[in-house]
Amino acid sequence: MALFLSFCFVFFFSLCNGSASAAIPLHLDDLLPNGDFEESPAKSNLKKTVIIGKYSLPKWEINGLVEYVSGGPQPGGFFFAIPRGVHAVRLGNEASISQNVTVNPGSIYSLTFGATRTCAQDEVLRISVPSYSANLSIQTLYSSDGGDTYAWAFMATSKVVKVTFHNPGIQEDPTCGPLLDAIAIKELLPLKYSKGNLVKNSDFEIGPHVFKNFSTGILLPPKQLDLISPLPGWIIESLKPVKYIDKKHFFVPSGLAAIELVAGRESAIAQIIRTVPNKFYNLTFTIGDAKNACHGSMMVEAFAAKETLKVPYESQAKGGFKTASFKFQAISARTRITFFSAYYHTRLHDYGHMCGPILDNVRVFPVY
């Protein structure tokens, strides 16, 4: 209730009287109104768990079979893990939830949302706003406790955007579909270069909203699914996502955030920097482990122009790190720097939780 009242103070009256439209603070970094679904439908608008009525879920518009569920054991032998709160919504076949949000046209926004599959079938979650959409496969589980969190970014093309989460699947069981347990939005501010470094957002400090009460890290989709990166300055150049981790919930070598390479060679991150042809540069970076029970022999491979460096790291899963560097010669006015993990890893005693080495504090500077 306190969270809702604080939103009402800065949002237009249309939000407070139950509409799905909201006015945004100048720089938003918080849950969407009722983004954690803890404000429940009236009992008269629930048929067991199914929500009856297009506007019966407070602050949201629903279409199709949408269930309002609680965490724990479910009928039929299911178990719903809802780590960020008590309640969540499940999207059945062709079902969706949406909310109108007032934004600043031309600004970049990132959505952070907790999502997991609830059945054994392939499940897809479609995220859309005007001019942008992506079908996100949630078949692969990266955490074993239902804590998978994703980020997806878009550029606002109008003052009001309709944010929609849709299950496009047609399953044998019409109730099967993705579970959403928290949705937040953050405006991503324009990047600036740091003095003496050609890499933008080199320490990953500018990124998506991080849930305060629970985090297993935030999965950043590959560029095929997210044309605008939720990690400004960087390209997720792989088939699988990388994970954005924060200092509150993980070990981070420096600053407030880092990147965990969670899917081996299928999990790569890159940036294209400006260089002078034939000039020499140093590339330095930090690797380590997130103190999240990810252990064993790790290796990060780094690429710049024609140079490659393989950096081994023996993880004791206690939050260590090391710094590596190498020199390269630029061959054009643009140079791509790329990092990926050479191996696949899972957490100690938890083989269903994918993990990997972390990357932080990337710097490129000319050699004089």
Side-chain angles (χ1 to χ4, degrees):
M1 178 59 72
L3 176 62
F4 176 62
L5 290 175
S6 68
F7 268 112
C8 289
F9 183 78
V10 294
F11 282 66
F12 288 134
F13 180 75
S14 60
L15 170 61
C16 300
N17 69 8
S19 166
S21 296
I24 295 263
L26 289 178
H27 178 230
L28 183 66
D29 184 6
D30 213 331
L31 288 171
L32 286 175
N34 198 25
D36 56 4
F37 307 109
E38 296 305 326
E39 192 177 349
S40 63
K43 289 185 178 180
S44 59
N45 293 327
L46 285 171
K47 187 175 182 181
K48 294 186 177 178
T49 60
V50 177
I51 304 174
I52 307 300
K54 193 171 185 177
Y55 300 105
S56 296
L57 178 63
K59 313 303 177 296
W60 294 91
E61 175 186 323
I62 71 171
N63 285 282
L65 195 159
V66 178
E67 294 182 272
Y68 188 72
V69 299
S70 302
Q74 308 293 318
F78 292 106
F79 181 92
F80 290 164
I82 304 176
R84 279 162 283 262
V86 178
H87 298 103
V89 294
R90 183 161 73 153
L91 306 180
N93 284 342
E94 291 290 356
S96 67
I97 63 169
S98 58
Q99 184 175 125
N100 289 331
V101 183
T102 303
V103 290
N104 298 315
S107 293
I108 303 295
Y109 291 87
S110 173
L111 294 166
T112 300
F113 49 95
T116 188
R117 64 183 173 93
T118 57
C119 299
Q121 298 105 322
D122 291 343
E123 291 185 19
V124 171
L125 181 64
R126 177 176 296 161
I127 315 102
S128 63
V129 298
S131 303
Y132 296 90
S133 68
N135 286 351
L136 183 70
S137 172
I138 54 174
Q139 186 64 20
T140 300
L141 299 179
Y142 289 86
S143 59
S144 57
D145 55 5
D148 280 353
T149 306
Y150 293 86
W152 182 78
F154 66 92
M155 177 183 289
T157 56
S158 61
K159 289 185 178 181
V160 177
V161 296
K162 188 171 188 178
V163 176
T164 301
F165 292 84
H166 174 223
N167 171 18
I170 300 294
Q171 304 290 354
E172 183 178 345
D173 182 346
T175 63
C176 272
L179 193 76
L180 291 165
D181 75 324
I183 303 172
I185 190 169
K186 180 179 180 180
E187 183 179 355
L188 301 176
L189 299 178
L191 291 177
K192 297 180 180 179
Y193 282 107
S194 300
K195 188 176 180 180
N197 189 1
L198 298 176
V199 180
K200 288 185 176 182
N201 200 13
S202 61
D203 49 7
F204 310 110
E205 298 299 283
I206 301 176
H209 175 87
V210 177
F211 294 125
K212 297 177 178 62
N213 61 336
F214 178 88
S215 179
T216 57
I218 302 170
L219 296 163
L220 309 180
K223 65 180 181 181
Q224 304 97 293
L225 299 177
D226 202 351
L227 299 177
I228 297 176
S229 175
L231 185 65
W234 292 93
I235 305 165
I236 314 306
E237 197 174 59
S238 51
L239 298 175
K240 298 291 177 67
V242 300
K243 184 175 282 189
Y244 185 77
I245 61 173
D246 66 291
K247 186 177 182 178
K248 180 179 178 181
H249 300 96
F250 300 87
F251 172 78
V252 171
S254 65
L256 300 175
I259 290 296
E260 185 179 11
L261 303 171
V262 292
R265 291 177 176 268
E266 297 178 279
S267 187
I269 187 170
Q271 185 171 144
I272 300 172
I273 61 173
R274 294 179 179 180
T275 50
V276 177
N278 301 317
K279 192 173 182 62
F280 286 93
Y281 296 85
N282 273 334
L283 169 61
T284 69
F285 55 96
T286 299
I287 66 168
D289 71 273
K291 198 177 179 179
N292 60 347
C294 199
H295 70 295
S297 298
M298 298 179 173
M299 182 177 290
V300 172
E301 296 192 32
F303 302 84
K306 294 182 178 180
E307 301 299 324
T308 303
L309 180 67
K310 296 181 179 181
V311 186
Y313 177 78
E314 196 67 32
S315 172
Q316 304 298 322
K318 296 179 180 179
F321 67 94
K322 67 189 289 187
T323 298
S325 66
F326 68 96
K327 185 168 69 173
F328 68 90
Q329 185 177 24
I331 56 177
S332 69
R334 297 288 188 272
T335 299
R336 184 184 299 270
I337 58 173
T338 305
F339 303 88
F340 66 76
S341 170
Y343 310 131
Y344 295 84
H345 301 274
T346 57
R347 288 173 54 177
L348 188 65
H349 308 309
D350 185 359
Y351 300 122
H353 195 125
M354 299 174 69
C355 62
I358 60 175
L359 174 71
D360 200 5
N361 199 24
V362 181
R363 296 182 66 230
V364 173
F365 51 91
V367 177
Y368 293 106

